[in-house]
Amino acid sequence: CTGEELALLDCDRRYDEYNCGGSRGAGVICSLRGSDMTTSLQGGDTIQGEGNVMLDGKFVCSRYWDVLDGQVACRELGYPHVIHVKETDKNASDSTDFTEFACKGHEPSLSECVHLENNQTCSNKLAAVECSHSQKAYTISLVGGNTSAEGNVFLDGSPVCDYSWGWADAEVA
């Protein structure tokens, strides 16, 4: 499913084609919690919109944390732009109850994004974000090509990874 469907049967996948005997069945825990949860930052320069992301006083694990998740967090905190998403080292005392966020970028709050709660698969990294009231100007360059119109894509002097890179990305670049 893409998350935009109204019912499971609206998804492109045929769920009756697979043999899911025993412990192979899909599961879910539904929650009505959401809009009452608070997003905040800790560490870094929280006045400038930078720090580790917390949801309801618990750190967010960096597993699958990406720019769409950061956009939602920044917007909820009053910043219209995300400058950078990153991860920081987790201390043993840092409690992480939230992981694997899958925001689409349009949600009004981080708690309304699809995510796992009380997940034990958190790495030793915490989700962090740098937000801003103004959009950052990026420098895009092509390196190593035969002409100025070809080459490896660099963003602010760093190479862009080719993982999931496609035609749409090339058109935007």
Side-chain angles (χ1 to χ4, degrees), residues 9 16 24 27-28 34 47 70 78 103 105 112 116 122 124-125 133 149 159:
L9 294 178
D16 58 349
R24 300 281 315 216
V28 66
I47 293 176
C103 298
E112 294 184 36
L116 297 178
C122 187
N124 290 326
K125 302 288 184 180
H133 289 292

Side-chain angles (χ1 to χ4, degrees), residues 12-24:
D12 288 336
R13 182 180 217 165
R14 293 262 335 240
Y15 293 99
D16 58 349
E17 292 179 354
Y18 304 98
N19 180 7
C20 290
S23 63
R24 300 281 315 216

